[in-house]
Amino acid sequence: MASKKMDPVALIKKEIEALEKKVEALRERLMADANKAIDKAKDQADKAKAKLKAEQDKLKELQQKAKKNVDARVQKQLDRAHSAVSAAKELELDAQALMIMGREQMKELREDYRQAKAMAKAAKDAAKEFDKKAKPAAKKTPVKKAAAKKAPAKKAPAKKAVAKKKAPAKKKAPAKTAG
């Protein structure tokens, strides 16, 4: 069973590698989504520009017509054209804002990816450092335990020997005085 177990550092390394793969896949997916959003925003901006141009052309045409025949109907058309131009401008501004947000999102994604890579590298380095420190420490520990066991064993018999010598000496002394 012990041979089948992986050491903690290897497990951590394996987990880090799996996380790196997930981060990379997520980054690629998010970058693709951001690119799609930017492309969509560009398309919207192009459509808005085309619509703005068409509305401006229509407005010019109506203004020329209005100069010739100023009547209520032409004035209503003029008002509608002005509001259409305003709406087209707003649409264009919205599309440009979407493009800017898409670019900002891409910058943030790149920064997040760089940070994730740096953290993964730091974790790998820490695991390697731990591995280096753990192996020498494992070799030193049994040597210290063996030395600790020998020292008390030597001290205990020495004390017993001293105690035995003192005890018989006391017994002999009274025997000599009695005899």
Side-chain angles (χ1 to χ4, degrees):
M1 280 217 165
S3 64
K4 289 183 180 180
K5 272 189 175 177
M6 294 183 76
D7 63 316
V9 174
L11 287 172
I12 291 170
K13 286 180 184 177
K14 193 173 186 178
E15 191 172 324
I16 288 171
E17 289 173 5
L19 288 173
E20 283 179 340
K21 288 178 184 176
K22 286 180 183 178
V23 166
E24 183 65 26
L26 181 62
R27 182 191 73 83
E28 288 176 9
R29 193 177 85 232
L30 290 174
M31 294 293 275
D33 290 347
N35 283 331
K36 285 179 186 176
I38 288 173
D39 291 343
K40 188 175 179 180
K42 283 180 183 178
D43 289 344
Q44 285 180 349
D46 291 343
K47 287 177 184 176
K49 282 180 184 178
K51 187 172 183 177
L52 177 63
K53 185 169 177 13
E55 293 297 333
Q56 284 175 338
D57 290 344
K58 197 174 186 181
L59 177 62
K60 284 180 186 176
E61 201 176 288
L62 287 172
Q63 283 174 336
Q64 289 172 356
K65 199 176 194 183
K67 285 180 185 175
K68 292 179 185 173
N69 301 341
V70 178
D71 62 355
R73 225 173 73 201
V74 174
Q75 188 61 40
K76 283 182 183 177
Q77 287 178 341
L78 257 171
D79 292 342
R80 280 190 222 133
H82 280 293
S83 65
V85 167
S86 296
K89 283 182 181 177
E90 286 179 25
L91 188 64
E92 182 182 11
L93 290 174
D94 288 347
Q96 287 176 348
L98 281 173
M99 278 188 354
I100 291 168
M101 289 189 325
R103 287 181 187 137
E104 288 299 317
Q105 185 182 12
M106 291 214 24
K107 286 179 188 176
E108 290 173 9
L109 286 172
R110 285 186 187 118
E111 185 58 33
D112 289 347
Y113 177 72
R114 283 188 204 116
Q115 287 177 351
K117 283 290 253 189
M119 287 172 60
K121 185 181 183 308
K124 273 186 181 176
D125 293 345
K128 287 179 185 176
E129 189 65 29
F130 176 79
D131 220 7
K132 288 178 185 176
K133 288 182 179 180
K135 287 181 183 175
K139 291 179 184 176
K140 290 179 183 177
T141 307
V143 174
K144 288 181 182 178
K145 286 182 182 176
K149 288 179 183 176
K150 289 180 184 177
K154 288 181 183 177
K155 289 180 183 176
K159 288 181 182 176
K160 288 180 184 176
V162 171
K164 287 180 183 177
K165 288 181 186 176
K166 288 182 183 177
K170 288 182 183 177
K171 287 181 185 177
K172 289 181 184 178
K176 287 182 184 177
T177 54

